[in-house]
Amino acid sequence: MVVYLKLILTAVVWGGTFIAGRVIVQDLDPFSAAFCRFAVSSICLLFLTLKQEGQLPRLHQKQLIQVILLGMTGVFAYNAFFFLGLQTIAASRAALIVALNPTFIALGSALFFKDKLTAFKIIGIIVSLLGAALAISRGNVVNILDDNLSIGDLFLFGCVFSWVAYTLIGKLAMQQLSPLVATTYACLIGTIALFFPALSEGILQHFFQINFVTWLVIWYLGFLSSALGFIWYSEGVRVIGPAKAAIFINLVPVSAILLAAVLLREEITLSLLAGGILVVMGVFLTNKA
């Protein structure tokens, strides 16, 4: 029972990252926000790794290349796109786009790892893409490219493709490294990479001017979402298995939309609601297969 509660809370926390991201970009530039988030995440994950593993294992050349790619895709690129996108589009809209991750991961796995695309997966992919198109186009799917697809939407699709790359590379990296070690290395590398564009944004000058609310958001993103979320989700995978644990991911866009409506007063339109339902259904079918 406890593990199910943790998985639900994890999904809610992950849904809240879109609201947190929308808030933080009002005070920090995108790369500065991403750097602060993963500086906190790296500290938390490094502490956890040292506690569980005893040390951060040394990597051979192939592993080093893999974790560098993980850091550059899943941390650097994903978060750059994430915060750039949230500067201009609603949190609920962003959540629905990012909810397409499993759909494109299924396609990527079929393309690069020859994973079988079952009928359920194909139906799920079509349904989720239709749902995203419905939400993005505000119900006008036929004319989706006519002023409906904004630069913010494109940034969020950048998130999706970055995460697909991270997941597929991670499938190789985690054949020899534990998920915790691989994630910790990825966070450390991504944080270092994020520091340089954050530096150009003036993070050193602004660091001591960051207000209390923004620091709370940074710790929410860095500790609750990245570190604690990883721990709880990994525990869920271990206890009830990856297939059942993955089902709870469907709650992320749902919680994001509800939290955005309550906390940010974002409007829940009919097209957003219908699109969200289709995306969740599609992702469920994709995972079920």
Side-chain angles (χ1 to χ4, degrees):
M1 180 63 185
V2 174
V3 72
Y4 287 102
L5 179 60
K6 286 182 177 179
L7 285 168
I8 291 170
L9 289 174
T10 299
V12 173
V13 167
W14 284 348
T17 60
F18 295 92
I19 289 80
R22 192 85 173 105
V23 170
I24 200 173
V25 292
Q26 309 305 316
D27 192 46
L28 287 176
D29 291 319
F31 285 100
S32 298
F35 169 73
C36 289
R37 172 187 184 176
F38 276 92
V40 172
S41 298
S42 295
I43 292 168
C44 294
L45 287 171
L46 185 59
F47 175 79
L48 181 63
T49 302
L50 293 175
K51 184 179 179 181
Q52 289 194 5
E53 306 277 341
Q55 62 177 350
L56 201 58
R58 296 184 66 177
L59 306 175
H60 58 64
Q61 186 178 11
K62 183 180 178 181
Q63 291 172 327
L64 180 60
I65 292 170
Q66 288 173 339
V67 296
I68 288 173
L69 290 173
L70 287 176
M72 295 307 295
T73 54
V75 178
F76 181 85
Y78 179 93
N79 284 276
F81 287 131
F82 181 78
F83 288 111
L84 284 166
L86 283 172
Q87 283 186 314
T88 58
I89 71 170
S92 52
R93 186 178 173 95
L96 279 185
I97 295 173
V98 174
L100 292 172
N101 278 341
T103 298
F104 284 97
I105 288 169
L107 287 171
S109 295
L111 181 63
F112 293 104
F113 293 108
K114 309 303 179 186
D115 287 0
K116 187 178 179 181
L117 277 179
T118 63
F120 266 121
K121 280 188 177 180
I122 293 170
I123 293 170
I125 288 167
I126 293 170
V127 170
S128 60
L129 289 175
L130 179 61
L134 188 64
I136 291 168
S137 66
R138 298 176 177 85
N140 190 11
V141 177
V142 176
N143 298 317
I144 189 171
L145 297 179
D146 297 343
D147 299 325
N148 286 312
L149 199 62
S150 69
I151 186 67
D153 294 322
L154 294 177
F155 280 135
L156 267 297
F157 274 107
C159 282
V160 173
F161 295 123
S162 299
W163 195 255
V164 170
Y166 174 84
T167 303
L168 298 181
I169 296 165
K171 190 171 183 177
L172 297 174
M174 292 176 202
Q175 290 175 357
Q176 295 181 323
L177 297 172
S178 71
L180 178 58
V181 169
T183 303
T184 301
Y185 267 116
C187 279
L188 289 169
I189 291 164
T191 302
I192 293 168
L194 286 166
F195 174 71
F196 296 101
L199 191 64
S200 69
E201 290 177 344
I203 184 62
L204 293 182
Q205 292 88 336
H206 299 150
F207 187 80
F208 293 103
Q209 299 171 8
I210 298 174
N211 63 52
F212 179 71
V213 172
T214 302
W215 272 118
L216 284 179
V217 174
I218 289 169
W219 276 91
Y220 175 91
L221 289 167
F223 174 68
L224 283 182
S225 173
S226 300
L228 192 62
F230 171 84
I231 296 167
W232 282 358
Y233 188 73
S234 297
E235 182 182 336
V237 170
R238 179 174 55 82
V239 175
I240 66 173
K244 287 184 179 179
I247 293 171
F248 288 84
I249 299 297
N250 298 321
L251 296 175
V252 174
V254 176
S255 61
I257 291 170
L258 293 176
L259 288 170
V262 173
L263 299 176
L264 301 180
R265 300 290 188 267
E266 289 185 4
E267 183 184 2
I268 301 179
T269 62
L270 185 60
S271 60
L272 182 70
L273 187 61
I277 291 170
L278 287 175
V279 167
V280 171
M281 285 175 57
V283 170
F284 177 77
L285 288 172
T286 304
N287 282 335
K288 186 179 177 62

